[in-house]
Amino acid sequence: MVSGTVGTGTALGAVLVSLLAAPAQAAAPAPAGGADTERVTAAAGLAAPDDAGLRTVLRTALTQGAPGAMARIDDNGTVHRLVEGVADRATGRAISTNDRFRVGSVTKSFSAVVLLQLVDEGKLNLDNSVNSYLPGLLPDNGITVRHVLSHRSGLYDYTNDMFAQTVPGFEAVRNKVFSYRDLVTLSLEKPRTNAPGAAYAYSNTNFVVAGMLIEKLTGHAVGTEYKNRIFTPLHLSNTFYVHPGTAIPGSHVDGYLTPDEAGAALVDSTEQTASWAQSAGAIISTAHDLDTFFSALLRGKLMSPAQLTQMQEWTPVSSTTSYGLGLRRRTLSCGVSVYGHTGTVQGFYTYAFTSKDGKRSVTALANTSNNTDVLNTMYGTLESAFCGKSTAKAATRAAAPLERNEDIAPGIARD
C-alpha cells in the first residue's frame, strides 16, 4: 500500500516528490526546501495543502471499510497525488489517481453547465416554466427551470423508494434501462415535497428533467452535448457518458457497495447501466479531468459572466453548505469557501471542489458507499487541501456538522 505526492510544473521549475511507503518499503525523503516551494506555488490566499493530513484522511477511510481512497490536488501548476489501498479487491491492484471512476452526482454540474450555455445562446430562460419546453410533463406550470436546477421544484426523489433497501434496490436496477419519462413518472406517483420555490429539497428527479430539457432544446442526446460542449473543448480525454453500457472503459477503480446489514460482505457494484441516474449521475471521469472541469468553470471558461453569476445564486442548505444551480458551495473550518459537487453512485464517494479563483482544485475518491463513516472522513480531504495545517481546523472540526449523503435516497436515514 503506497501513498505519494508529486509536484510539477511550478513557476520556479521546482519538482517536489515525496513517497510514504508501507512498512516493508523505505520512505523516500522530500527534497530540501520542499515546504518553501509549496508556499510559493500555493493558490493565492490559501495555505499550502497539508499532504500529511490528506494521508491520514485516506488511511482512516480504509480502516472504516473503504478498499481504496485517493486524492489529487491541482494547485496552480503543482500537482499532489495521494493514494491508499486498492482499486480491485480481487487482484489487489493499487488504486491510482489516473484511474477512471463513476462520479455520481458530480454529473449534475455538467448538466447545469449545458443548460446555462443554452441560456447564453438564447434558447432557454431560467424563469420559464419547465412545461413551456416540455408540455404536460409536470403537474404544475409554476415549476421553472431555475427551480429544477436549484432543487427547489418540490419534485419527489424517486431514489428514496428505489434504494430504500440498499443492495436489493441496486440489484433490481443494475442492468435495467429506464427512459427519462419512466423516472419522472416514478417521482410523480408521490406527493411533492413543497410548493415551487418554497424550499430546498435535493431530488435526482430535478436533473432527470434537466436531461430532458437538454435533449429537447438541442435535438441531441445528453452524452453528445456533454462531449461537444465540455469534454472536447476542455480536453477531458478520460471523461465519458456510456449509458446504457455497463462497463467503465480502460483502467478504472472498482466500486464496492456496503450492505445495510452490519458485517455483511461488500458487493462489487462496478458494472451497471447507471440508468437510474443518467443526467443526474452517470458520468465516468478521473481526478485530473474533474479538477480541470471545475477550475475552468470557476475561471469563467464555460459560460458568460452573467450565467456564472446566476449559477452562484445560493440557497442555504446547512450552516456550512449552500446550493446554486447544479453547484455546491462549502465553507470550511478555516473560513475558505470552495465550489464543486459531491457524488455518490453505488460503490463510489466523490468530492470534487475548487477555489473561488479556480487555481486550486481537489478531487477525492473512496471506492465504497452507504458508509457514513467514510463519507464524513473523506470530507476531511477538503480541509487538508484548502485549509492546510490551519490550527483553527482542529479546534472547529469537532463542532462541524456531520456529512449527510443527499445524492442517493436523501430521504432515507440509515444511521
Side-chain angles (χ1 to χ4, degrees):
M1 194 182 303
V2 178
S3 67
T5 64
V6 180
T8 61
T10 71
L12 301 178
V15 178
L16 306 175
V17 179
S18 68
L19 294 175
L20 181 62
Q25 301 180 24
D36 288 339
T37 305
E38 282 195 347
R39 283 196 290 273
V40 169
T41 60
L46 297 176
D50 179 8
D51 289 344
L54 278 166
R55 291 187 191 104
T56 298
V57 168
L58 301 183
R59 289 173 175 175
T60 300
L62 264 62
T63 69
Q64 294 168 332
M70 58 91 157
R72 173 181 170 127
I73 302 172
D74 284 272
D75 186 22
N76 201 28
T78 300
V79 180
H80 302 245
R81 302 177 180 89
L82 296 101
V83 299
E84 291 287 343
V86 300
D88 184 335
R89 296 177 74 210
T91 66
R93 184 178 69 82
I95 196 169
S96 166
T97 57
N98 294 323
D99 286 338
R100 299 164 181 170
F101 54 90
R102 298 189 183 278
V103 309
S105 286
V106 179
T107 302
K108 292 177 172 68
S109 296
F110 288 81
S111 297
V113 165
V114 173
L115 287 176
L116 288 164
Q117 289 180 351
L118 292 171
V119 174
D120 275 331
E121 294 165 16
K123 297 176 182 177
L124 178 68
N125 186 316
L126 293 175
D127 295 311
N128 283 356
S129 169
V130 168
N131 283 348
S132 68
Y133 301 106
L134 299 166
L137 177 68
L138 303 180
D140 190 333
N141 288 333
I143 299 175
T144 68
V145 178
R146 189 185 302 276
H147 293 150
V148 164
L149 293 182
S150 59
H151 292 297
R152 294 183 300 126
S153 68
L155 294 170
Y156 179 80
D157 192 328
Y158 58 87
T159 68
N160 287 328
D161 301 300
M162 190 175 283
F163 302 123
Q165 292 184 297
T166 298
V167 173
F170 168 65
E171 294 294 0
V173 301
R174 178 196 281 262
N175 295 305
K176 192 166 183 177
V177 178
F178 295 93
S179 71
Y180 284 128
R181 286 189 179 269
D182 290 337
L183 298 174
V184 172
T185 297
L186 290 174
S187 169
L188 296 181
E189 289 174 354
K190 294 298 180 72
R192 280 171 281 157
T193 56
N194 52 261
Y200 169 90
Y202 191 97
S203 174
N204 285 286
T205 309
N206 289 313
F207 279 80
V208 170
V209 173
M212 297 180 76
L213 287 166
I214 290 170
E215 296 196 346
K216 178 64 179 290
L217 293 170
T218 66
H220 300 138
V222 292
T224 299
E225 293 300 310
Y226 293 150
K227 181 178 179 180
N228 292 343
R229 293 172 176 272
I230 304 174
F231 300 171
T232 299
L234 294 182
H235 306 291
L236 307 184
S237 57
N238 289 298
T239 305
F240 309 91
Y241 184 79
V242 300
H243 175 266
T246 60
I248 302 176
S251 178
H252 63 270
V253 179
D254 283 1
Y256 298 95
L257 179 58
T258 306
D260 295 330
E261 300 76 23
L266 297 177
V267 174
D268 189 325
S269 53
T270 310
E271 293 199 356
Q272 61 162 302
T273 62
S275 192
W276 65 267
Q278 299 189 53
S279 52
I283 283 177
I284 292 164
S285 191
T286 62
H288 168 268
D289 280 9
L290 292 186
D291 282 356
T292 300
F293 168 68
F294 281 113
S295 176
L297 175 58
L298 268 291
R299 289 176 189 236
K301 295 182 178 181
L302 290 171
M303 63 188 70
S304 69
Q307 302 322 317
L308 186 56
T309 296
Q310 293 206 82
M311 195 178 199
Q312 297 179 76
E313 291 179 357
W314 305 108
T315 299
V317 176
S318 71
S319 61
T320 59
T321 304
S322 299
Y323 204 92
L325 304 182
L327 188 69
R328 292 190 188 276
R329 181 181 69 186
R330 311 298 294 265
T331 301
L332 305 177
S333 67
C334 57
V336 170
S337 291
V338 293
Y339 306 81
H341 216 288
T342 52
T344 302
V345 66
Q346 290 88 356
F348 302 89
Y349 278 143
T350 302
Y351 284 88
F353 285 82
T354 193
S355 56
K356 181 67 173 177
D357 60 7
K359 291 183 178 180
R360 182 182 297 174
S361 302
V362 62
T363 295
L365 171 79
N367 59 342
T368 194
S369 67
N370 195 38
N371 184 324
T372 303
D373 289 340
V374 172
L375 178 69
N376 276 281
T377 291
M378 291 300 290
Y379 176 82
T381 59
L382 303 184
E383 293 280 343
S384 294
F386 293 101
C387 294
K389 297 179 180 178
S390 168
T391 55
K393 177 177 62 176
T396 60
R397 181 178 291 171
L402 294 178
E403 285 290 282
R404 177 174 175 270
N405 177 38
E406 291 188 309
D407 297 331
I408 294 181
I412 304 297
R414 290 196 166 89
D415 297 287

